Amino acid sequence: MKTLNLLVVCTMFSTAPLFGQRQKPEPLYDEAQVPAYTLPALLITEKGKAVKDVTQWENKRRAEILKSFSEQVYGKTPGKKVLLNFEQQSVDEQALGGKATRKQVRIFFGKEKSRHMDLLLYLPNHVTGPVPVFLGLNFTGNQTIHADPGILISTRQTRYGNDPGYRDGYATEASRGLRARRWPVEEILSRGYGLATVYYGDIQPDQPGTFNQGVHQLFFKRGQEAPAEDEWGAIGAWAWGLSRAMDYLVQEPGVNPRQVCVLGHSRLGKAALWAGAQDSRFAVVISNNSGEGGAAITRRKFGETIQAINDRFPHWFCGNYKQYNNREDQLPVDYHQLIALIAPRPVYVASAVEDRWADPKGEYLSLYHAGPVFRLYGLRPLEDPEPPGLERPVYTEVNGYHLRNGKHDILLYDWSNYMDFADRVFGR
Ligand code: GTR
């Protein structure tokens, strides 16, 4: 590792003067200026014992790391089980011109039937039997993933409510298919996969001060209105919602419950990783441009930092995470350990070259540095400490990575690689 260059650390946080405002550090985008860092050890316990096998990993070290992510990063997910009720809202066996069966299910949480999320599921018609499925949350309402007129329009208020396709905070007919470029539904179906999605705002609104409007309420103690410092934030809630979607999928006859791939873009990629770390029913976990607080190594001070993310999104992580603003080195974990929590299940990480804010190299390095845990299981992780070139995906049977051309987004190129990887994992 390179030696720490103190001068660099100082200049990194210098800014052009802002009149009367708090100075915000400029993001660091110069690879040559990234200070050296030491990652927290993956295979040494807090008491300093070396972890040599799967039993020691699973019983001891993995549990320590999971606890740190729970208490210091995303916040603890409530252990209490919530009664679920599945209410089928519509089924169309001839959706998309006969290519798919489309099901829409309202998943109610708790006895009161007060809170719910709506799951949209497409299953391919040209293959029989339970199929592998991709599950991911969407940002803008289920109806935005495809122009299919049969998709029920979300009636929730949304933070995108002033965008085209929305009026006064709510979606209109004009929002159908607005995000179709992110969801290549026909391609997914033609390759024999199903697709399940839920609008993330059904689980928890993406705004500070709204914990009394999402699933947190189901778990608050009497009089509680906000999570305690070590309790879950919004990312924790979205991850929990993914597991509740999984509760539905595992009992859906058209779905192969052992072949559900959870994926997410950006903040929802962070949620997908955290869901995959906590819930071993997810067979494959895919992070698309998840960046800081997701796949990227936070000690690599490239692009977004803990302070930057906590300042802009104080509701995403737990209260304790604020302690690590500008103190990345004090965080007991780093994000290679988040990926290691998912092992031995396969993990795919993808970056986009113009998405420097998310630190593409840092995203690759997390996967690379998680390698020793995959090796403990006798599996073959990615071996190269250097990320591959542009649009040269690299896969083994447990790890995959690519760097796409273009911006922060999830596009057909990304999906095609996820499907190639899943084909390989599932031996298709
Ligand atoms: C950005 C945030 C990123 C990423 C992104 C997104 O503004 O800084 O960490 O999560 O939002 O979710 O689109």
Side-chain angles (χ1 to χ4, degrees):
M1 242 165 242
K2 284 178 225 128
T3 48
L4 180 71
N5 182 336
L6 281 175
L7 186 72
V8 166
V9 179
C10 300
T11 51
M12 235 173 66
F13 293 107
S14 73
T15 51
L18 287 166
F19 301 100
Q21 289 178 24
R22 199 174 97 175
Q23 295 197 346
K24 286 223 172 95
E26 292 293 331
L28 172 67
Y29 284 143
D30 180 356
E31 194 59 50
Q33 294 198 7
V34 174
Y37 56 87
T38 306
L39 290 178
L42 194 51
L43 294 178
I44 299 179
T45 67
E46 283 164 11
K47 289 207 172 120
K49 269 193 77 185
V51 172
K52 301 211 183 73
D53 57 34
V54 168
T55 313
Q56 289 169 356
W57 162 253
E58 288 185 353
N59 297 344
K60 188 74 200 157
R61 185 64 181 138
R62 185 183 185 281
E64 288 176 353
I65 293 172
L66 185 60
K67 188 165 185 283
S68 291
F69 273 104
S70 295
E71 293 174 358
Q72 305 296 321
V73 181
Y74 302 111
K76 291 193 273 187
T77 307
K80 192 179 104 189
K81 292 258 177 307
V82 164
L83 190 83
L84 300 184
N85 252 298
F86 306 135
E87 202 172 277
Q88 195 146 286
Q89 304 232 291
S90 85
V91 184
D92 181 353
E93 291 177 357
Q94 293 303 317
L96 307 179
K99 283 188 208 126
T101 296
R102 179 200 341 96
K103 293 194 180 184
Q104 297 180 86
V105 181
R106 182 156 282 186
I107 302 177
F108 286 97
F109 309 128
K111 285 199 209 90
E112 311 298 319
K113 282 201 163 186
S114 55
R115 186 84 205 168
H116 60 258
M117 62 180 195
D118 291 335
L119 181 127
L120 165 67
L121 174 66
Y122 283 107
L123 297 170
N125 280 345
H126 70 282
V127 283
T128 45
V131 295
V133 165
F134 287 94
L135 165 67
L137 301 176
N138 68 72
F139 281 90
T140 43
N142 293 347
Q143 79 285 353
T144 62
I145 78 150
H146 196 284
D148 178 355
I151 305 178
L152 301 167
I153 293 190
S154 171
T155 55
R156 278 229 206 260
Q157 199 167 12
T158 133
R159 64 196 288 269
Y160 302 95
N162 294 320
D163 289 4
Y166 297 78
R167 202 178 308 120
D168 304 329
Y170 293 91
T172 70
E173 280 288 329
S175 66
R176 291 193 182 281
L178 275 183
R179 292 289 175 101
R181 71 164 198 285
R182 287 190 168 174
W183 301 89
V185 177
E186 273 85 355
E187 284 81 358
I188 296 168
L189 293 166
S190 73
R191 292 189 55 166
Y193 287 89
L195 175 66
T197 189
V198 172
Y199 167 50
Y200 81 142
D202 277 3
I203 305 160
Q204 164 60 43
D206 191 2
Q207 252 145 26
T210 58
F211 287 121
N212 56 352
Q213 294 170 37
V215 295
H216 278 74
Q217 302 162 84
L218 301 168
F219 304 93
F220 279 156
K221 298 189 201 87
R222 194 180 289 273
Q224 187 177 1
E225 279 177 6
E229 300 297 280
D230 64 347
E231 288 178 340
W232 59 343
I235 294 173
W238 299 325
W240 179 90
L242 285 165
S243 284
R244 301 296 71 80
M246 188 63 177
D247 293 339
Y248 171 76
L249 294 174
V250 295
Q251 55 79 65
E252 158 62 52
V255 172
N256 184 334
R258 285 175 308 283
Q259 297 188 339
V260 176
C261 309
V262 65
L263 96 172
H265 168 60
S266 204
R267 68 200 69 181
L268 299 179
K270 308 181 211 294
L273 287 167
W274 183 225
Q278 296 175 94
D279 188 338
S280 62
R281 295 173 301 171
F282 293 116
V284 174
V285 181
I286 300 165
S287 150
N288 190 89
N289 306 181
S290 66
E292 180 71 25
I297 295 283
T298 190
R299 279 167 173 76
R300 242 180 77 80
K301 298 191 178 176
F302 190 100
E304 191 169 25
T305 60
I306 294 183
Q307 161 120 45
I309 210 165
N310 279 334
D311 282 357
R312 292 173 64 221
F313 307 105
H315 56 298
W316 282 3
F317 298 85
C318 70
N320 282 340
Y321 200 52
K322 316 282 184 294
Q323 294 169 28
Y324 304 101
N325 286 349
N326 284 320
R327 294 173 70 237
E328 278 83 358
D329 289 345
Q330 298 301 309
L331 186 69
V333 286
D334 211 313
Y335 289 85
H336 61 309
Q337 294 175 322
L338 178 63
I339 290 173
L341 290 176
I342 301 165
R345 288 166 294 134
V347 180
Y348 197 111
V349 173
S351 311
V353 73
E354 289 173 40
D355 186 19
R356 295 185 307 165
W357 183 238
D359 185 12
K361 184 169 182 186
E363 292 181 314
Y364 175 80
L365 287 176
S366 272
L367 189 60
Y368 169 73
H369 287 296
V373 172
F374 289 93
R375 249 179 244 118
L376 272 189
Y377 286 90
L379 298 164
R380 194 168 57 94
L382 292 175
E383 309 279 351
D384 196 337
E386 285 303 316
L390 200 52
E391 302 204 349
R392 307 198 84 132
V394 280
Y395 318 145
T396 68
E397 42 296 317
V398 284
N399 288 173
Y401 177 85
H402 70 250
L403 175 65
R404 175 176 49 70
N405 247 309
K407 294 194 191 345
H408 186 68
D409 208 341
I410 175 166
L411 301 172
L412 179 58
Y413 178 85
D414 302 302
W415 281 96
S416 301
N417 281 292
Y418 303 150
M419 290 189 275
D420 288 351
F421 181 63
D423 279 354
R424 179 161 174 177
V425 168
F426 300 142
R428 287 159 63 85

